[in-house]
Amino acid sequence: MLGEIAAAGVIAVLPLLPILLKYQAVHAGYGFTRDIGEVRFFSADVAALFCASPDLEFWGWLRVACRAEGELFPGVTVPAIVILAFVGMLAPGSDGGRGSRLLTLAARLLLIFALVNAAIAIVVAVNGPFRLDLGPMRVSSSSVAKPVLLAVVAFVIGLLSSRGARAAVRQSSALGFYLLTAVVMWVLTFGPTLTLMGQMRGYSGPYAWLMLLPGMGSLRVPARFWLCATICLTAAAGIVVAQMLSRRSRVVAAIVVAIAAGGVLTDGWTNLEAKPVAFDVPDPRAPVGRTMFRVPIGDVRDAAVQFDGIVQGWRSVNGYSGYEPRYFWAIREGVRGEHEELLHFLQGFGELHVVLPHDSLRWQRVLDEQRDVIHVGRSDTAVQYRLPARAPTAEPAVSGAPLQVARIAASCGAEHVAAMRDGDPATWWDCGKAQQGGEQFEVDLGGPVRVAAVVTALGTNATNFPRHLIVETSIDGVEWAPAWDAHVVVPTILACMRDPKNPRVIVTFPPREARYVRLRQAGNHSQFFWSVSELELYPDVRRGRL
């Protein structure tokens, strides 16, 4: 049977190979990876069984240990039916030998231990921390986290080692398979690190073992294993109901089924409200075969532009996916800062159509001031512009050998300064905080030399480019001459297109003699740091085409 299953699996995978190989090639080319922090963020809390979606009509108020995509509340009806099956698995029965009886006894003790800890957790949750002295023995608990964790672990181990579980394996029981698989799928939702009541406990979950397998590192939402658990619970509930009603009359069966169906409908009843699209495209035929750019950018609404582009036949700057091109955050920053240079850059790829919500007055003012702009149309929700094609943006490139750096002094993060010169893109300097303005470092070249470019590599931190960069040079460290004072949106986009795995942002300025070069971050961002993986300075530059 295993051979037949393996053969079926191979046959099923063969048609997917072209897609998988392309997927692998794109990931390798762009350096797409799932950060462990991202995987932890989308893992479910151990107590998330009591977190219901707010869209549920009757249970939306139940919001315990909720996290992103971690709303695992299964309702009441299906778990109640499944509990009957669990009771049957744990019921006393004859076992095959002494070893089996000892294993059964251990399983029951574990389940009793789980019940005791569950009771302790309930007491703490209702009445707060407690301490109980029983002669020489003291029982105390200050939080629900530890007893809940012990209850879950003891329950899972006790269930898997129970008489019913072993019998299910021996008999290839469908009910046993679905019940045990539901438990395994639930445990996998915990992700690589167990989290209980919002606090990471520091223990590795079984999902950490899965991440060692090829391809599993690309899955970022362990909580979605609950979908498999829900399917298993539903199948198990159906089997239990069928077994219960197999010898009942039709009238009794109809009543039980109606009650169960009503319970399932009640548990899952949602009150979803359909809402209109935020704003439309006044003339969707105009951008066909050309480039469409819809502002704002960087949220789920980008999916509509991407989909419409496929249907209507235009190229879309907007896009929505689990992965984003490394330059996408720079485009977002260009939109946030209303930088018209971003428009000029996009025009370098051909005629550009821009659609704005009708109340986006500041962006409308930017577009109204553009050369040769044409108003394509206006609707109740949006306004549409057409911008002519421009010459492609010239791509700067450094020339000559990098200059020798004698010393780097930073205003913060001094312990990480050496990372800027260690040749390792996986290490970097930062100030340990989000961009607030005022972060800076000064480079000493050892003596006056010709300087024309500063190159800051982002490594794996493509989001951590400076929101506003000031570059100054000096001969004596007293008198400073300005070299660059602007955003670096377009240089960052060019860098990410040139080398997605290790973007090198090139900032150029008129060549001059200098011993000292100072870089200051004058912008702000509530989330992202300013980081520099590698730093290089060059005496000359040349320009090419992207």
Side-chain angles (χ1 to χ4, degrees):
M1 291 179 66
L2 288 176
E4 294 173 355
I5 293 172
V10 170
I11 293 172
V13 167
L14 283 176
L16 295 175
L17 277 179
I19 298 173
L20 294 174
L21 292 174
K22 184 65 175 180
Y23 189 84
Q24 183 184 40
V26 170
H27 277 229
Y30 286 91
F32 287 154
T33 58
R34 294 299 189 195
D35 179 75
I36 188 66
E38 186 177 11
V39 177
R40 288 188 180 122
F41 180 79
F42 288 109
S43 299
D45 196 288
V46 174
L49 292 176
F50 301 100
C51 174
S53 168
D55 294 322
L56 292 179
E57 181 69 19
F58 298 100
W59 296 105
W61 55 269
L62 188 60
R63 304 287 292 170
V64 177
C66 296
R67 307 183 73 194
E69 303 208 30
E71 298 160 336
L72 308 190
F73 178 63
V76 174
T77 306
V78 169
I81 296 172
V82 169
I83 286 173
L84 295 176
F86 275 127
V87 171
M89 291 181 65
L90 302 176
S94 60
D95 286 295
R98 178 177 176 81
S100 182
R101 289 195 296 270
L102 289 175
L103 191 58
T104 299
L105 177 61
R108 291 172 183 169
L109 290 175
L110 282 169
L111 292 170
I112 293 172
F113 180 74
L115 290 174
V116 170
N117 277 278
I120 292 173
I122 293 173
V123 170
V124 174
V126 174
N127 296 323
F130 72 91
R131 189 178 72 177
L132 181 62
D133 293 317
L134 301 174
M137 187 172 60
R138 173 179 295 174
V139 179
S140 65
S141 183
S142 58
S143 71
V144 299
K146 187 174 181 180
V148 167
L149 186 60
L150 291 174
V152 169
V153 173
F155 172 75
V156 172
I157 297 176
L159 177 65
L160 295 178
S161 58
S162 67
R163 179 193 62 82
R166 298 197 306 277
V169 173
R170 288 195 303 268
Q171 300 168 10
S172 299
S173 165
L175 176 59
F177 168 80
Y178 284 119
L179 290 176
L180 296 177
T181 303
V183 172
V184 172
M185 294 297 104
W186 173 49
V187 171
L188 289 177
T189 66
F190 301 161
T193 305
L194 296 184
T195 303
L196 182 59
M197 300 301 291
Q199 299 294 321
M200 287 191 180
R201 313 313 302 175
Y203 310 116
S204 294
Y207 191 87
W209 308 335
L210 281 183
M211 293 186 69
L212 300 176
L213 299 177
M216 291 301 297
S218 295
L219 301 180
R220 65 168 179 163
V221 190
R224 292 179 185 169
F225 271 101
W226 186 245
L227 176 61
C228 301
T230 301
I231 293 172
C232 292
L233 289 174
T234 304
I239 294 173
V240 172
V241 172
Q243 291 176 349
M244 290 171 54
L245 302 181
S246 60
R247 298 182 180 180
R248 306 297 185 205
S249 66
R250 288 189 174 183
V251 174
V252 172
I255 293 173
V256 172
V257 169
I259 293 173
V264 170
L265 286 173
T266 301
D267 288 340
W269 195 269
T270 58
N271 186 20
L272 296 178
E273 179 183 357
K275 296 183 179 180
V277 176
F279 59 97
D280 58 1
V281 178
D283 185 357
R285 294 170 297 178
V288 172
R290 296 169 174 82
T291 302
M292 167 65 78
F293 182 34
R294 194 154 132 179
V295 177
I297 193 171
D299 58 30
V300 71
R301 288 174 292 186
D302 290 339
V305 191
Q306 192 175 22
F307 178 78
D308 290 343
I310 296 171
V311 175
Q312 301 290 347
W314 64 59
R315 295 183 298 273
S316 173
V317 176
N318 307 65
Y320 189 79
S321 176
Y323 288 110
E324 295 175 342
R326 293 295 170 90
Y327 56 78
F328 204 64
W329 275 102
I331 292 180
R332 288 184 181 184
E333 182 61 25
V335 172
R336 185 179 81 118
E338 299 170 355
H339 301 313
E340 64 178 34
E341 291 87 353
L342 174 62
L343 297 175
H344 302 163
F345 173 78
L346 295 174
Q347 288 175 261
F349 294 93
E351 183 178 295
L352 179 67
H353 285 250
V354 184
V355 175
L356 308 169
H358 71 281
D359 56 354
S360 181
L361 301 181
R362 295 174 62 183
W363 257 110
Q364 288 184 42
R365 185 166 57 249
V366 171
L367 282 157
D368 288 337
E369 295 173 353
Q370 299 304 304
R371 186 181 63 190
D372 299 327
V373 65
I374 296 176
H375 288 258
V376 175
R378 179 183 290 271
S379 68
D380 293 338
T381 60
V383 57
Q384 183 173 346
Y385 296 85
R386 183 174 69 197
L387 297 171
R390 284 176 171 245
T393 300
E395 182 183 17
V398 293
S399 180
L403 300 173
Q404 294 295 318
V405 174
R407 185 179 64 89
I408 302 177
S411 63
C412 50
E415 65 276 17
H416 302 303
V417 165
M420 286 192 273
R421 301 289 296 168
D422 64 359
D424 184 358
T427 62
W428 60 86
W429 165 87
D430 63 44
C431 287
K433 61 181 180 180
Q435 298 181 35
Q436 299 176 0
E439 305 92 346
Q440 70 176 43
F441 61 86
E442 184 179 305
V443 182
D444 182 357
L445 299 173
V449 293
R450 177 184 170 92
V451 183
V454 174
V455 179
T456 54
L458 297 173
T460 58
N461 303 312
T463 59
N464 289 2
F465 58 90
R467 268 44 189 182
H468 187 110
L469 181 65
I470 298 175
V471 180
E472 300 167 303
T473 62
S474 174
I475 292 289
D476 55 9
V478 177
E479 298 290 333
W480 293 89
W484 178 281
D485 187 350
H487 63 85
V488 292
V489 167
V490 172
T492 301
I493 296 174
L494 290 169
C496 293
M497 287 183 166
R498 187 187 311 113
D499 185 0
K501 292 184 178 180
N502 184 27
R504 299 170 68 247
V505 180
I506 302 175
V507 171
T508 65
F509 41 85
R512 76 278 305 277
E513 292 289 317
R515 173 176 176 174
Y516 302 98
V517 179
R518 184 166 64 194
L519 281 73
R520 287 192 288 144
Q521 201 292 118
N524 63 82
H525 198 284
S526 61
Q527 180 179 0
F528 297 122
F529 295 16
W530 176 33
S531 64
V532 178
S533 176
E534 294 295 319
L535 173 70
E536 294 176 333
L537 295 93
Y538 286 86
D540 293 292
V541 296
R542 54 184 173 80
R543 293 187 177 273
R545 295 292 186 191
L546 179 63

